[in-house]
Coordinates of all heavy atoms in Angstrom, one line a residue:
M1 N 0.8 -1.2 0.0 CA 0.0 0.0 0.0 C 0.9 1.2 0.0 O 1.8 1.4 0.8 CB -0.9 0.0 1.2 CG -1.8 1.2 1.3 SD -3.1 0.9 2.5 CE -2.6 1.8 3.9
A2 N 0.7 2.1 -0.9 CA 1.4 3.3 -1.0 C 1.0 4.3 0.0 O -0.2 4.4 0.3 CB 1.3 3.9 -2.4
G3 N 1.9 5.1 0.6 CA 1.6 6.1 1.5 C 1.2 7.4 0.9 O 1.1 7.5 -0.4
F4 N 1.0 8.4 1.7 CA 0.7 9.8 1.2 C 1.8 10.3 0.3 O 2.9 10.3 0.8 CB 0.3 10.6 2.4 CG 0.0 12.1 2.0 CD1 -1.2 12.3 1.4 CD2 0.9 13.1 2.3 CE1 -1.6 13.6 1.1 CE2 0.5 14.4 1.9 CZ -0.7 14.7 1.3
D5 N 1.5 10.8 -0.8 CA 2.5 11.4 -1.7 C 2.5 12.9 -1.6 O 1.7 13.6 -2.1 CB 2.2 11.0 -3.2 CG 3.3 11.4 -4.1 OD1 4.1 12.3 -3.8 OD2 3.3 10.8 -5.2
V6 N 3.5 13.4 -0.8 CA 3.6 14.9 -0.5 C 3.8 15.6 -1.8 O 3.2 16.7 -2.1 CB 4.7 15.2 0.5 CG1 4.9 16.7 0.6 CG2 4.4 14.5 1.8
N7 N 4.6 15.2 -2.7 CA 4.9 15.8 -3.9 C 3.7 16.0 -4.8 O 3.4 17.0 -5.4 CB 6.0 15.1 -4.7 CG 7.3 15.3 -4.0 OD1 7.6 16.3 -3.4 ND2 8.2 14.2 -4.1
A8 N 2.9 14.9 -4.9 CA 1.6 15.0 -5.7 C 0.6 15.9 -5.1 O 0.0 16.7 -5.8 CB 1.0 13.6 -5.8
A9 N 0.6 16.0 -3.7 CA -0.4 16.9 -3.1 C 0.0 18.3 -3.3 O -0.8 19.2 -3.6 CB -0.4 16.6 -1.6
R10 N 1.4 18.6 -3.2 CA 1.9 19.9 -3.5 C 1.6 20.4 -4.9 O 1.2 21.5 -5.1 CB 3.4 20.0 -3.2 CG 4.0 21.4 -3.4 CD 5.5 21.4 -3.3 NE 5.9 21.0 -1.9 CZ 6.9 20.2 -1.6 NH1 7.6 19.7 -2.6 NH2 7.2 19.9 -0.4
A11 N 1.9 19.5 -5.9 CA 1.6 19.8 -7.3 C 0.1 20.1 -7.5 O -0.2 21.1 -8.2 CB 2.0 18.6 -8.1
Q12 N -0.7 19.4 -6.8 CA -2.2 19.7 -6.9 C -2.5 21.0 -6.4 O -3.3 21.8 -7.0 CB -3.0 18.6 -6.2 CG -4.4 18.6 -6.5 CD -5.2 17.4 -5.9 OE1 -4.7 16.7 -5.1 NE2 -6.4 17.2 -6.4
R13 N -2.0 21.3 -5.2 CA -2.3 22.7 -4.6 C -1.7 23.8 -5.5 O -2.4 24.8 -5.7 CB -1.6 22.8 -3.2 CG -2.3 22.1 -2.1 CD -1.7 22.5 -0.8 NE -0.3 22.5 -0.7 CZ 0.5 21.4 -0.4 NH1 0.0 20.2 -0.1 NH2 1.8 21.6 -0.3
L14 N -0.5 23.6 -6.0 CA 0.0 24.7 -6.8 C -0.7 24.8 -8.2 O -0.8 25.9 -8.7 CB 1.6 24.4 -7.1 CG 2.5 24.6 -5.8 CD1 3.9 24.2 -6.2 CD2 2.4 26.0 -5.3
E15 N -1.2 23.7 -8.7 CA -2.0 23.8 -9.9 C -3.3 24.5 -9.6 O -3.7 25.4 -10.4 CB -2.3 22.4 -10.4 CG -3.1 22.4 -11.7 CD -3.3 21.0 -12.2 OE1 -2.5 20.1 -12.0 OE2 -4.4 20.8 -12.9
A16 N -3.9 24.3 -8.5 CA -5.2 25.0 -8.1 C -5.0 26.5 -7.8 O -5.7 27.3 -8.2 CB -5.8 24.3 -7.0
L17 N -3.9 26.8 -7.1 CA -3.7 28.1 -6.6 C -2.7 28.9 -7.4 O -2.7 30.1 -7.4 CB -3.1 28.1 -5.2 CG -4.1 27.7 -4.1 CD1 -3.4 27.5 -2.8 CD2 -5.3 28.6 -4.0
G18 N -1.7 28.3 -8.1 CA -0.6 28.9 -8.7 C 0.5 29.2 -7.7 O 0.3 28.9 -6.5
R19 N 1.6 29.6 -8.2 CA 2.7 29.8 -7.3 C 2.7 31.1 -6.5 O 3.4 31.3 -5.5 CB 4.1 29.8 -8.0 CG 4.3 28.4 -8.6 CD 5.8 28.2 -8.8 NE 6.1 26.9 -9.3 CZ 6.3 25.8 -8.4 NH1 6.2 26.0 -7.1 NH2 6.5 24.6 -8.9
A20 N 1.9 32.1 -7.0 CA 1.8 33.4 -6.3 C 0.4 33.9 -6.4 O -0.4 33.6 -7.2 CB 2.7 34.4 -7.1
W21 N 0.0 34.6 -5.3 CA -1.3 35.2 -5.2 C -1.0 36.7 -5.4 O -0.1 37.3 -4.8 CB -1.9 35.0 -3.8 CG -3.2 35.6 -3.5 CD1 -4.4 35.1 -3.8 CD2 -3.5 36.8 -2.9 NE1 -5.4 35.9 -3.5 CE2 -4.8 37.0 -2.9 CE3 -2.7 37.8 -2.4 CZ2 -5.5 38.1 -2.3 CZ3 -3.3 39.0 -1.8 CH2 -4.7 39.1 -1.8
T22 N -1.8 37.4 -6.3 CA -1.5 38.8 -6.6 C -2.6 39.7 -6.0 O -3.8 39.3 -5.9 CB -1.3 39.0 -8.1 OG1 -2.6 38.6 -8.8 CG2 -0.2 38.2 -8.7
F23 N -2.2 40.9 -5.8 CA -3.1 42.0 -5.5 C -2.6 43.3 -6.2 O -1.5 43.4 -6.4 CB -3.4 42.2 -4.0 CG -2.2 42.7 -3.2 CD1 -2.0 44.0 -3.0 CD2 -1.2 41.8 -2.7 CE1 -0.9 44.5 -2.3 CE2 -0.2 42.3 -2.0 CZ 0.0 43.7 -1.7
Q24 N -3.6 44.1 -6.4 CA -3.3 45.4 -7.1 C -3.5 46.6 -6.1 O -4.5 46.5 -5.4 CB -4.1 45.6 -8.3 CG -3.7 44.5 -9.4 CD -4.7 44.5 -10.5 OE1 -5.9 44.6 -10.4 NE2 -4.2 44.2 -11.7
L25 N -2.6 47.5 -6.2 CA -2.7 48.7 -5.4 C -2.3 49.9 -6.3 O -1.2 49.9 -6.8 CB -1.7 48.6 -4.2 CG -1.6 49.8 -3.3 CD1 -3.0 50.1 -2.6 CD2 -0.6 49.4 -2.2
D26 N -3.2 50.8 -6.5 CA -3.1 51.8 -7.5 C -2.7 51.2 -8.8 O -3.5 50.4 -9.3 CB -2.0 52.8 -7.0 CG -2.4 53.5 -5.7 OD1 -3.7 53.7 -5.5 OD2 -1.6 53.8 -4.9
T27 N -1.6 51.5 -9.4 CA -1.2 50.9 -10.7 C -0.2 49.8 -10.5 O 0.3 49.4 -11.5 CB -0.7 52.0 -11.6 OG1 0.5 52.6 -11.0 CG2 -1.7 53.1 -11.9
D28 N 0.1 49.4 -9.3 CA 1.1 48.4 -9.0 C 0.5 47.1 -8.8 O -0.6 47.0 -8.2 CB 1.9 48.9 -7.8 CG 3.4 48.9 -8.0 OD1 3.9 48.3 -8.9 OD2 4.0 49.6 -7.2
T29 N 1.1 46.0 -9.1 CA 0.7 44.6 -8.8 C 1.8 44.0 -7.9 O 3.0 44.1 -8.2 CB 0.6 43.8 -10.1 OG1 -0.4 44.4 -10.9 CG2 0.1 42.4 -9.8
F30 N 1.3 43.3 -6.9 CA 2.2 42.7 -5.9 C 1.9 41.2 -5.9 O 0.7 40.8 -6.1 CB 2.1 43.3 -4.5 CG 2.5 44.7 -4.5 CD1 1.5 45.7 -4.7 CD2 3.8 45.1 -4.2 CE1 1.9 47.1 -4.6 CE2 4.1 46.4 -4.2 CZ 3.2 47.4 -4.4
E31 N 2.9 40.4 -5.6 CA 2.7 38.9 -5.5 C 3.1 38.4 -4.1 O 4.1 38.8 -3.5 CB 3.6 38.2 -6.5 CG 3.3 38.4 -7.9 CD 4.2 37.5 -8.8 OE1 5.1 36.9 -8.3 OE2 3.9 37.6 -10.0
L32 N 2.2 37.6 -3.5 CA 2.5 36.9 -2.3 C 2.5 35.4 -2.6 O 1.8 34.9 -3.4 CB 1.4 37.2 -1.3 CG 1.2 38.7 -0.9 CD1 0.0 38.8 0.1 CD2 2.5 39.1 -0.1
P33 N 3.3 34.6 -1.8 CA 3.4 33.2 -2.1 C 2.1 32.5 -1.7 O 1.5 32.9 -0.7 CB 4.6 32.8 -1.2 CG 4.7 33.8 -0.1 CD 4.2 35.1 -0.7
T34 N 1.8 31.5 -2.4 CA 0.6 30.7 -2.0 C 1.0 29.6 -1.0 O 0.1 29.0 -0.3 CB 0.0 30.0 -3.2 OG1 0.9 29.2 -3.9 CG2 -0.6 31.0 -4.1
E35 N 2.3 29.3 -0.8 CA 2.8 28.4 0.2 C 4.0 29.0 0.9 O 4.7 29.7 0.2 CB 3.2 27.1 -0.4 CG 2.0 26.4 -1.0 CD 2.2 24.9 -1.2 OE1 3.4 24.4 -1.2 OE2 1.3 24.2 -1.4
L36 N 4.1 28.8 2.2 CA 5.2 29.3 2.9 C 6.2 28.2 3.3 O 5.8 27.1 3.8 CB 4.7 30.0 4.2 CG 3.8 31.2 4.0 CD1 3.4 31.7 5.4 CD2 4.4 32.2 3.2
S37 N 7.5 28.5 3.2 CA 8.5 27.5 3.6 C 8.5 27.5 5.1 O 8.0 28.4 5.8 CB 9.8 27.9 3.1 OG 10.3 29.1 3.7
R38 N 9.1 26.4 5.7 CA 9.2 26.4 7.1 C 10.1 27.5 7.7 O 9.8 28.0 8.7 CB 9.8 25.0 7.5 CG 8.9 23.9 7.3 CD 9.5 22.5 7.7 NE 9.9 22.5 9.1 CZ 11.1 22.2 9.5 NH1 12.1 21.8 8.6 NH2 11.5 22.2 10.7
G39 N 11.1 27.9 6.9 CA 11.9 29.0 7.3 C 11.2 30.3 7.4 O 11.3 31.1 8.4
V40 N 10.3 30.6 6.4 CA 9.5 31.8 6.5 C 8.5 31.7 7.6 O 8.3 32.7 8.4 CB 8.8 32.1 5.2 CG1 7.7 33.2 5.3 CG2 9.8 32.4 4.1
A41 N 7.9 30.6 7.8 CA 7.0 30.4 9.0 C 7.6 30.6 10.3 O 7.1 31.2 11.2 CB 6.3 29.0 8.9
R42 N 8.9 30.1 10.4 CA 9.7 30.4 11.7 C 9.9 31.8 11.9 O 9.7 32.4 13.0 CB 11.0 29.6 11.6 CG 11.7 29.5 12.8 CD 13.0 28.7 12.8 NE 12.8 27.4 12.1 CZ 13.3 27.0 10.9 NH1 14.1 27.8 10.2 NH2 13.0 25.8 10.4
K43 N 10.2 32.6 10.8 CA 10.5 34.0 10.9 C 9.2 34.8 11.3 O 9.1 35.7 12.0 CB 11.1 34.6 9.7 CG 12.5 34.1 9.4 CD 13.0 34.6 8.1 CE 14.4 34.1 7.8 NZ 14.9 34.4 6.5
L44 N 8.1 34.3 10.7 CA 6.8 34.9 11.0 C 6.4 34.7 12.5 O 5.9 35.6 13.1 CB 5.6 34.3 10.2 CG 5.6 34.7 8.7 CD1 4.6 33.9 7.9 CD2 5.4 36.2 8.6
R45 N 6.7 33.5 13.0 CA 6.4 33.3 14.4 C 7.2 34.2 15.3 O 6.8 34.5 16.4 CB 6.6 31.8 14.8 CG 5.5 30.9 14.3 CD 5.7 29.5 14.9 NE 7.0 28.9 14.7 CZ 7.3 28.1 13.7 NH1 6.4 27.9 12.7 NH2 8.5 27.6 13.6
A46 N 8.4 34.5 14.9 CA 9.3 35.3 15.7 C 8.9 36.8 15.7 O 9.3 37.6 16.6 CB 10.8 35.2 15.2
L47 N 8.1 37.2 14.8 CA 7.6 38.6 14.8 C 6.7 38.9 15.9 O 5.9 38.1 16.3 CB 6.9 38.9 13.4 CG 7.7 38.9 12.1 CD1 6.8 39.1 10.9 CD2 8.8 40.0 12.2
D48 N 6.8 40.2 16.3 CA 5.8 40.7 17.3 C 4.4 40.7 16.6 O 4.3 40.9 15.4 CB 6.1 42.1 17.7 CG 5.2 42.7 18.7 OD1 4.2 43.3 18.3 OD2 5.4 42.5 19.9
D49 N 3.3 40.4 17.3 CA 2.0 40.4 16.7 C 1.6 41.7 16.0 O 0.7 41.6 15.1 CB 0.9 40.0 17.8 CG 1.0 38.6 18.2 OD1 1.6 37.8 17.5 OD2 0.5 38.3 19.3
N50 N 2.2 42.7 16.4 CA 1.8 44.1 15.9 C 2.8 44.6 14.8 O 2.7 45.7 14.3 CB 1.7 45.1 17.0 CG 0.7 44.8 18.0 OD1 -0.4 44.5 17.6 ND2 1.0 44.8 19.2
D51 N 3.7 43.7 14.4 CA 4.8 44.1 13.4 C 4.2 43.8 12.0 O 4.6 42.9 11.3 CB 6.0 43.3 13.6 CG 7.2 43.8 12.8 OD1 7.0 44.7 11.9 OD2 8.3 43.3 12.9
V52 N 3.4 44.8 11.6 CA 2.7 44.6 10.2 C 3.8 44.8 9.2 O 3.8 44.0 8.2 CB 1.6 45.7 10.1 CG1 1.0 45.7 8.7 CG2 0.5 45.4 11.1
D53 N 4.7 45.7 9.3 CA 5.7 45.9 8.3 C 6.6 44.7 8.2 O 7.0 44.3 7.1 CB 6.6 47.2 8.6 CG 5.8 48.5 8.3 OD1 4.9 48.4 7.6 OD2 6.3 49.5 8.9
G54 N 7.0 44.1 9.3 CA 7.8 42.9 9.3 C 7.1 41.8 8.6 O 7.7 41.0 7.8
L55 N 5.8 41.6 8.8 CA 5.0 40.6 8.2 C 5.0 40.8 6.6 O 5.2 39.9 5.8 CB 3.5 40.6 8.7 CG 2.5 39.8 7.9 CD1 2.8 38.3 8.0 CD2 1.1 40.1 8.4
L56 N 4.7 42.1 6.3 CA 4.6 42.4 4.8 C 6.0 42.2 4.2 O 6.1 41.7 3.0 CB 4.1 43.8 4.6 CG 2.6 44.0 5.0 CD1 2.2 45.4 5.0 CD2 1.7 43.2 4.0
Q57 N 7.0 42.6 4.9 CA 8.4 42.5 4.2 C 8.7 41.0 4.0 O 9.3 40.7 3.0 CB 9.4 43.2 5.1 CG 10.8 43.3 4.4 CD 11.7 44.3 5.1 OE1 11.4 44.8 6.1 NE2 12.7 44.6 4.4
L58 N 8.4 40.2 5.0 CA 8.7 38.7 4.8 C 7.9 38.1 3.6 O 8.4 37.3 2.9 CB 8.3 38.0 6.1 CG 9.4 37.8 7.1 CD1 8.9 37.2 8.4 CD2 10.6 37.0 6.6
L59 N 6.6 38.5 3.5 CA 5.8 38.0 2.5 C 6.1 38.5 1.1 O 6.2 37.8 0.1 CB 4.3 38.2 2.8 CG 3.7 37.5 4.0 CD1 2.4 37.9 4.2 CD2 3.8 36.0 3.8
L60 N 6.4 39.8 1.0 CA 6.6 40.5 -0.2 C 8.0 40.4 -0.7 O 8.3 40.4 -1.9 CB 6.3 42.0 -0.1 CG 4.8 42.3 0.0 CD1 4.5 43.7 0.4 CD2 4.1 42.0 -1.4
G61 N 9.0 40.3 0.2 CA 10.4 40.4 -0.1 C 10.8 41.8 -0.1 O 10.0 42.7 -0.2
D62 N 12.1 42.1 -0.1 CA 12.6 43.4 0.1 C 12.3 44.3 -1.1 O 11.9 45.5 -0.9 CB 14.2 43.4 0.2 CG 14.6 42.7 1.5 OD1 13.8 42.8 2.5 OD2 15.7 42.3 1.6
Q63 N 12.4 43.8 -2.3 CA 12.1 44.7 -3.5 C 10.6 45.1 -3.6 O 10.3 46.3 -3.8 CB 12.5 44.0 -4.8 CG 14.0 43.9 -4.9 CD 14.5 43.3 -6.2 OE1 13.7 42.5 -6.9 NE2 15.6 43.5 -6.7
Q64 N 9.8 44.1 -3.4 CA 8.3 44.5 -3.5 C 7.9 45.3 -2.3 O 7.1 46.3 -2.5 CB 7.4 43.2 -3.5 CG 7.4 42.5 -4.8 CD 6.3 41.5 -4.8 OE1 5.3 41.7 -5.5 NE2 6.5 40.4 -4.1
F65 N 8.5 45.0 -1.1 CA 8.1 45.8 0.0 C 8.6 47.3 -0.1 O 7.8 48.2 0.2 CB 8.8 45.3 1.3 CG 8.4 46.0 2.6 CD1 7.1 45.9 3.1 CD2 9.3 46.7 3.2 CE1 6.7 46.5 4.2 CE2 9.0 47.4 4.4 CZ 7.7 47.3 4.9
A66 N 9.7 47.5 -0.8 CA 10.1 48.9 -1.0 C 9.2 49.6 -1.9 O 8.8 50.8 -1.7 CB 11.6 48.9 -1.7
R67 N 8.6 48.9 -2.9 CA 7.6 49.5 -3.8 C 6.3 49.7 -3.0 O 5.6 50.7 -3.2 CB 7.3 48.6 -5.0 CG 8.3 48.7 -6.1 CD 7.9 47.9 -7.3 NE 7.6 46.5 -7.2 CZ 6.5 45.9 -7.5 NH1 5.4 46.6 -7.9 NH2 6.4 44.6 -7.3
F68 N 5.9 48.8 -2.2 CA 4.7 48.9 -1.4 C 4.7 50.1 -0.5 O 3.7 50.7 -0.3 CB 4.5 47.5 -0.6 CG 3.2 47.5 0.2 CD1 2.1 47.1 -0.4 CD2 3.2 47.8 1.5 CE1 0.9 47.0 0.3 CE2 2.0 47.7 2.3 CZ 0.9 47.3 1.6
E69 N 5.9 50.3 0.1 CA 6.0 51.5 1.0 C 5.8 52.8 0.3 O 5.6 53.8 1.0 CB 7.4 51.4 1.7 CG 7.5 50.4 2.8 CD 8.8 50.7 3.7 OE1 9.9 50.7 3.0 OE2 8.6 50.8 4.8
Q70 N 5.9 52.9 -1.0 CA 5.7 54.1 -1.7 C 4.2 54.5 -1.8 O 3.9 55.6 -2.1 CB 6.3 54.0 -3.1 CG 7.8 53.7 -3.1 CD 8.6 54.7 -2.4 OE1 8.5 55.9 -2.6 NE2 9.5 54.2 -1.5
H71 N 3.3 53.6 -1.4 CA 1.9 53.8 -1.5 C 1.4 54.3 -0.1 O 1.9 53.9 0.9 CB 1.2 52.5 -1.9 CG 1.5 52.1 -3.3 ND1 0.8 52.5 -4.4 CD2 2.5 51.2 -3.7 CE1 1.4 51.9 -5.5 NE2 2.4 51.1 -5.1
D72 N 0.3 55.1 -0.2 CA -0.4 55.5 1.0 C -1.4 54.4 1.3 O -2.5 54.4 0.8 CB -1.1 56.9 0.7 CG -1.7 57.4 2.0 OD1 -1.3 57.0 3.1 OD2 -2.6 58.3 1.9
V73 N -1.1 53.6 2.3 CA -1.9 52.4 2.6 C -2.4 52.5 4.0 O -1.6 52.8 5.0 CB -1.1 51.1 2.4 CG1 -2.0 49.9 2.7 CG2 -0.6 51.0 1.0
T74 N -3.6 52.3 4.3 CA -4.1 52.3 5.6 C -4.1 50.9 6.3 O -3.9 49.9 5.6 CB -5.6 52.8 5.7 OG1 -6.4 51.8 5.0 CG2 -5.8 54.1 5.0
M75 N -4.2 50.8 7.6 CA -4.3 49.5 8.3 C -5.5 48.7 7.8 O -5.5 47.5 7.7 CB -4.3 49.7 9.8 CG -3.0 50.3 10.3 SD -1.6 49.3 9.9 CE -1.9 47.8 10.8
Q76 N -6.6 49.4 7.4 CA -7.8 48.8 6.9 C -7.5 48.1 5.6 O -8.0 47.0 5.2 CB -9.0 49.7 6.8 CG -9.5 50.1 8.2 CD -8.7 51.2 8.9 OE1 -7.7 51.7 8.3 NE2 -9.2 51.6 10.1
D77 N -6.7 48.8 4.7 CA -6.3 48.3 3.4 C -5.5 47.0 3.6 O -5.7 46.0 3.0 CB -5.4 49.2 2.7 CG -6.1 50.5 2.2 OD1 -7.3 50.5 2.0 OD2 -5.4 51.5 2.0
I78 N -4.5 47.0 4.6 CA -3.7 45.9 4.9 C -4.5 44.7 5.4 O -4.4 43.6 5.0 CB -2.5 46.2 5.8 CG1 -1.6 47.2 5.1 CG2 -1.8 45.0 6.3 CD1 -0.6 47.9 6.1
A79 N -5.5 45.0 6.3 CA -6.4 44.0 6.8 C -7.2 43.3 5.7 O -7.3 42.1 5.7 CB -7.3 44.6 7.9
A80 N -7.6 44.1 4.8 CA -8.4 43.6 3.7 C -7.6 42.7 2.8 O -8.0 41.7 2.3 CB -9.0 44.8 2.8
I81 N -6.3 43.1 2.5 CA -5.4 42.3 1.7 C -5.2 41.0 2.4 O -5.3 39.9 1.8 CB -4.0 43.0 1.5 CG1 -4.3 44.3 0.6 CG2 -3.0 42.1 0.9 CD1 -3.1 45.3 0.6
L82 N -4.8 41.0 3.7 CA -4.5 39.8 4.4 C -5.8 38.9 4.6 O -5.6 37.6 4.5 CB -4.0 40.1 5.8 CG -2.6 40.8 5.8 CD1 -2.2 41.1 7.3 CD2 -1.5 39.9 5.1
E83 N -6.9 39.5 4.7 CA -8.2 38.7 4.8 C -8.4 37.9 3.4 O -8.7 36.7 3.4 CB -9.4 39.5 5.1 CG -10.6 38.7 5.2 CD -11.8 39.6 5.6 OE1 -11.7 40.8 6.0 OE2 -13.0 39.1 5.5
A84 N -8.3 38.7 2.4 CA -8.5 38.0 1.0 C -7.4 37.0 0.8 O -7.7 35.9 0.3 CB -8.5 39.1 -0.1
Y85 N -6.2 37.3 1.1 CA -5.1 36.3 1.0 C -5.3 35.1 1.7 O -5.2 33.9 1.2 CB -3.8 37.1 1.4 CG -2.5 36.2 1.4 CD1 -2.1 35.7 0.2 CD2 -1.7 36.1 2.5 CE1 -0.9 35.0 0.2 CE2 -0.6 35.4 2.5 CZ -0.1 34.8 1.3 OH 1.0 34.1 1.2
G86 N -5.8 35.2 3.0 CA -6.0 34.1 3.8 C -7.2 33.2 3.3 O -7.1 32.0 3.3
K87 N -8.2 33.9 2.8 CA -9.4 33.1 2.3 C -9.0 32.3 1.0 O -9.4 31.2 0.9 CB -10.5 34.1 2.0 CG -11.3 34.5 3.2 CD -12.4 35.4 2.8 CE -13.2 35.9 4.0 NZ -14.3 36.9 3.6
E88 N -8.2 32.9 0.2 CA -7.9 32.3 -1.1 C -6.8 31.3 -1.0 O -6.8 30.3 -1.8 CB -7.6 33.4 -2.2 CG -8.8 34.2 -2.5 CD -8.6 35.2 -3.6 OE1 -7.8 34.9 -4.6 OE2 -9.1 36.3 -3.6
T89 N -5.9 31.4 0.0 CA -4.8 30.5 0.1 C -4.9 29.5 1.3 O -4.2 28.6 1.3 CB -3.4 31.2 0.2 OG1 -3.4 32.0 1.4 CG2 -3.2 32.1 -1.0
G90 N -5.8 29.9 2.2 CA -5.9 29.1 3.4 C -4.8 29.3 4.5 O -4.7 28.6 5.5
L91 N -4.0 30.3 4.2 CA -2.9 30.6 5.2 C -3.4 31.4 6.4 O -2.8 31.2 7.5 CB -1.8 31.4 4.5 CG -1.0 30.6 3.5 CD1 0.0 31.4 2.7 CD2 -0.3 29.5 4.1
G92 N -4.4 32.2 6.3 CA -5.0 32.9 7.5 C -4.0 33.7 8.3 O -4.0 33.6 9.5
L93 N -3.2 34.5 7.7 CA -2.3 35.4 8.4 C -3.0 36.6 8.9 O -4.0 37.1 8.4 CB -1.2 35.9 7.5 CG -0.3 34.8 6.9 CD1 0.5 35.4 5.7 CD2 0.5 34.2 7.9
G94 N -2.6 37.1 10.1 CA -3.2 38.3 10.7 C -4.4 38.0 11.5 O -5.1 38.9 11.9
E95 N -4.8 36.7 11.6 CA -6.0 36.4 12.3 C -5.6 36.0 13.8 O -4.5 35.6 14.1 CB -6.6 35.1 11.7 CG -7.1 35.4 10.3 CD -7.8 34.2 9.7 OE1 -7.8 33.2 10.3 OE2 -8.2 34.4 8.6
D96 N -6.6 36.3 14.7 CA -6.3 36.0 16.1 C -6.5 34.5 16.4 O -7.2 33.8 15.7 CB -7.3 36.7 17.0 CG -7.0 38.2 17.0 OD1 -6.0 38.6 17.6 OD2 -7.7 39.0 16.4

């Protein structure tokens, strides 16, 4: 009897979701990963619960985060982005 095939499950998830989840802000498009590595998850756990910039920088990466910082974004905007991201990817970041 064959066991659970992690590679097949991953391929199926990536086929369904794609490798990146995108959102648009003004005329800019940003990408967030649909899956997080254990290393990124570890860094996320180490962040203070209120470190929104740290969270976004980890998810976006340095280059995208630098572009993101150029926009006038409210906390409500960020909450809406994270809510949509969580619903579509199942990651549920920023939730209590």
Side-chain angles (χ1 to χ4, degrees):
M1 179 163 101
F4 179 71
D5 187 338
V6 174
N7 293 327
R10 180 184 300 138
Q12 188 175 17
R13 283 191 314 271
L14 291 175
E15 184 178 326
L17 292 172
R19 292 204 177 273
W21 181 85
T22 61
F23 68 93
Q24 293 167 326
L25 178 60
D26 300 327
T27 59
D28 233 338
T29 300
F30 297 91
E31 292 185 354
L32 297 176
T34 56
E35 296 200 342
L36 301 179
S37 69
R38 288 179 58 234
V40 170
R42 190 175 312 114
K43 290 176 184 176
L44 285 172
R45 282 192 306 271
L47 290 175
D48 181 273
D49 288 344
N50 297 314
D51 189 356
V52 175
D53 286 340
L55 169 66
L56 291 170
Q57 190 164 12
L58 271 174
L59 294 174
L60 290 167
D62 293 336
Q63 290 182 336
Q64 285 194 104
F65 184 70
R67 282 190 298 124
F68 185 82
E69 283 194 306
Q70 301 302 310
H71 295 272
D72 185 21
V73 182
T74 67
M75 292 304 294
Q76 289 81 0
D77 293 335
I78 293 169
I81 291 166
L82 293 177
E83 181 180 349
Y85 179 58
K87 283 181 181 176
E88 292 185 35
T89 64
L91 290 173
L93 299 169
E95 295 178 358
D96 290 286

